[in-house]
Amino acid sequence: MDETTILLVPAPGAKAEFLATVEPTATGGASGGDLPFEVVLSSYTRDGWATMAPPPTEPWKATWLKSVDGRGKLPGFLKYLQERKKVPMGRFEPAAAGSSGKGVIVVPYDQPSPPVGVLGDGSDVSVDDLIYCRYILDENQIGRGYRRPGPSPEAIAQQQMVQRQQQQRQKQQQQAKAKAASSVPKPAPKSSRASSGMLGNLMAATKRTNDLIDTVPVRKAASASGVGAGGSGLTGTAAVMAQFRQDVEQKMLDFRSDVTQTCLKVPISLATVVRDLPAEQKQSVTMDVLKYVVYEQAEEVGEDKWVSAREPSEFMDECVVAVYKEGHAPEDVLEDLNQGELPDEILQQQRAMRQARVKEISRKETKADAQRHKETVGSGAPDDDAWTLNTQKRDRRTIEEIQKEMESHKRQR
């Protein structure tokens, strides 16, 4: 039989692991003889050519494969694909000599129901042992119309330049209108002494003040309610988040196009992002939301091959997210990402054990220090070789008392 071993790379930069050993079914579409002895599913994709049914003009082949290893890993693998809505793919060297490129195999996350001919009478084939795959022997024949590429960096830069020019022209027009309004001569107020007295003076001064500040709200309104996110019509929090997402996406695209750069540092400053928002809207933008945007853009632009990790920071409203290309992430970063979070009960037990261990070490050190001090200095008794300083009281005897004591010692000798 034409058996094929399927290997799966669980994470970018990880080693390929065994998934299943399969063979084509008797009535499951293509014969599967074009597949090599080993296929490695090295990445995931959400492109249209992999998630949608291929057009009849492309030479895709569909086949039902049956697991013959007996390990039962296929049901859990297909459940994972259905939850994530991703399509694993792999490239292989086709057996046909006429292919100009490598072959591509995909496993759709939306698996169809197996036909009756594949299951047979149900005695030897189980649904859990079946997997539906599509493959093409030349990747150059995949239709470009089913791809969903993002805009090119040149188009994005051109669009941003046009938006900046439009905003600058609007600002100049508003400044010219404000200047023209302020230059119009105001009619001289009538003499308040002859007409309305103190109340008239107060009302005239209030009117002049309002006339002078009329131009200020015009500029503020233009900046606060202006076209957000590059002319998308969004305002407030939506415009700020759209602009932040667009800036991060542009950095990711530049990073992807630069083949010499393997690591990208994306700084995040919450105060800078919400600087132009009103006070009541700033609370809706948090650091967790901004970090999620960076992680999401790294996942989309990097096609799930890049590794993103937050670097340690001393501030709660500022951080730096490091994005590594495939195969360039440090080992400590991969170890931190692969390490699961422990439950709170286990963390509390570990914390209590650490505190008890620190107290025990401190107690032993204090006891050892006291013993060393006693052995080095002595107890302070008169018969000791060493005396402890600054522990004896001041000698308050008079000279006559000292002389008498010295004479008594001489007589005793």
Side-chain angles (χ1 to χ4, degrees):
M1 297 296 292
D2 297 329
E3 293 185 354
T4 299
T5 300
I6 302 178
L7 304 179
L8 176 66
V9 178
K15 185 179 180 181
E17 299 178 357
F18 175 82
L19 179 61
T21 300
V22 297
E23 64 181 13
T25 58
T27 59
S31 62
D34 299 324
L35 296 178
F37 174 75
E38 184 178 273
V39 172
V40 180
L41 302 178
S42 58
S43 61
Y44 295 88
T45 181
R46 291 193 180 100
D47 290 342
W49 59 267
T51 57
M52 302 178 185
T57 57
E58 296 183 8
W60 283 90
K61 298 181 180 180
T63 181
W64 284 91
L65 303 177
K66 178 181 65 174
S67 175
V68 295
D69 56 82
R71 300 190 183 184
K73 290 187 175 182
L74 291 182
F77 174 64
L78 296 177
K79 181 180 179 181
Y80 170 79
L81 298 182
Q82 182 66 27
E83 292 175 353
R84 297 297 300 272
K85 305 297 182 183
K86 294 184 179 181
V87 177
M89 60 171 293
R91 291 179 171 84
F92 60 90
E93 294 292 342
S99 301
S100 59
K102 291 186 176 182
V104 177
I105 182 173
V106 296
V107 181
Y109 64 83
D110 189 9
Q111 292 274 307
S113 300
V116 179
V118 175
L119 295 175
D121 57 358
S123 60
D124 56 346
V125 180
S126 174
V127 178
D128 295 337
D129 296 334
L130 295 177
I131 184 173
Y132 176 77
C133 303
R134 291 199 304 263
Y135 64 93
I136 190 171
L137 300 180
D138 188 359
E139 60 181 350
N140 296 324
Q141 297 180 359
I142 298 177
R144 299 291 179 177
Y146 282 84
R147 300 181 184 270
R148 298 174 182 171
S152 62
E154 294 80 5
I156 295 177
Q158 182 68 19
Q159 183 181 4
Q160 291 179 351
M161 183 179 65
V162 173
Q163 293 169 0
R164 285 194 297 267
Q165 292 177 355
Q166 292 178 354
Q167 293 177 358
Q168 187 174 6
R169 284 197 299 267
Q170 292 177 359
K171 185 177 180 180
Q172 291 176 356
Q173 293 175 0
Q174 293 168 0
Q175 291 177 353
K177 291 180 180 179
K179 186 176 180 180
S182 61
S183 61
V184 175
K186 301 291 189 302
K190 296 181 179 180
S191 177
S192 58
R193 295 181 180 178
S195 58
S196 57
M198 184 181 296
L199 181 59
N201 290 338
L202 181 60
M203 294 180 63
T206 304
K207 185 178 184 304
R208 288 195 299 271
T209 303
N210 293 335
D211 292 339
L212 292 176
I213 66 176
D214 273 345
T215 57
V216 178
V218 174
R219 289 196 295 270
K220 287 187 177 179
S223 60
S225 63
V227 179
S232 61
L234 300 177
T235 58
T237 306
V240 170
M241 293 303 302
Q243 184 63 38
F244 178 74
R245 182 186 298 273
Q246 186 177 2
D247 295 340
V248 173
E249 183 181 9
Q250 181 61 38
K251 292 181 181 179
M252 298 291 179
L253 293 174
D254 296 340
F255 176 56
R256 184 178 64 179
S257 60
D258 189 357
V259 296
T260 61
Q261 190 177 6
T262 60
C263 177
L264 174 64
K265 300 296 183 67
V266 181
I268 304 176
S269 176
L270 181 61
T272 304
V273 174
V274 302
R275 177 178 52 195
D276 298 331
L277 285 178
E280 62 274 7
Q281 297 183 6
K282 291 184 178 180
Q283 298 180 356
S284 59
V285 181
T286 61
M287 282 296 296
D288 294 336
V289 175
L290 299 180
K291 288 187 293 184
Y292 175 79
V293 171
V294 176
Y295 293 149
E296 185 182 29
Q297 292 300 319
E299 182 180 353
E300 291 182 359
V301 179
E303 297 180 355
D304 294 334
K305 297 180 181 179
W306 295 354
V307 178
S308 304
R310 177 180 179 273
E311 295 186 347
S313 175
E314 299 178 357
F315 306 98
M316 298 181 61
D317 60 344
E318 292 183 1
C319 70
V320 176
V321 177
V323 181
Y324 303 92
K325 288 184 178 179
E326 183 181 7
H328 295 84
E331 295 182 358
D332 54 346
V333 174
L334 295 176
E335 183 177 357
D336 293 340
L337 292 177
N338 295 330
Q339 184 179 8
E341 297 183 357
L342 298 177
D344 294 340
E345 293 79 5
I346 298 180
L347 293 177
Q348 292 177 1
Q349 293 178 2
Q350 293 180 352
R351 190 181 303 109
M353 293 175 61
R354 286 196 300 268
Q355 293 177 356
R357 187 163 52 251
V358 170
K359 289 182 180 179
E360 181 67 19
I361 294 174
S362 177
R363 186 182 64 80
K364 290 183 179 180
E365 290 180 352
T366 303
K367 185 176 180 180
D369 292 342
Q371 183 66 25
R372 285 194 298 268
H373 183 271
K374 184 177 180 180
E375 294 175 355
T376 304
V377 178
S379 61
D383 55 349
D384 285 345
D385 295 335
W387 287 65
T388 304
L389 299 179
N390 299 327
T391 58
Q392 300 295 332
K393 295 183 179 180
R394 182 178 179 182
D395 192 354
R396 299 181 180 276
R397 296 177 298 172
T398 61
I399 297 177
E400 290 80 4
E401 293 175 350
I402 296 175
Q403 290 177 352
K404 288 180 182 181
E405 185 177 355
M406 293 176 63
E407 290 176 358
S408 63
H409 283 300
K410 289 180 180 180
R411 284 196 297 267
Q412 291 177 2
R413 293 178 182 177

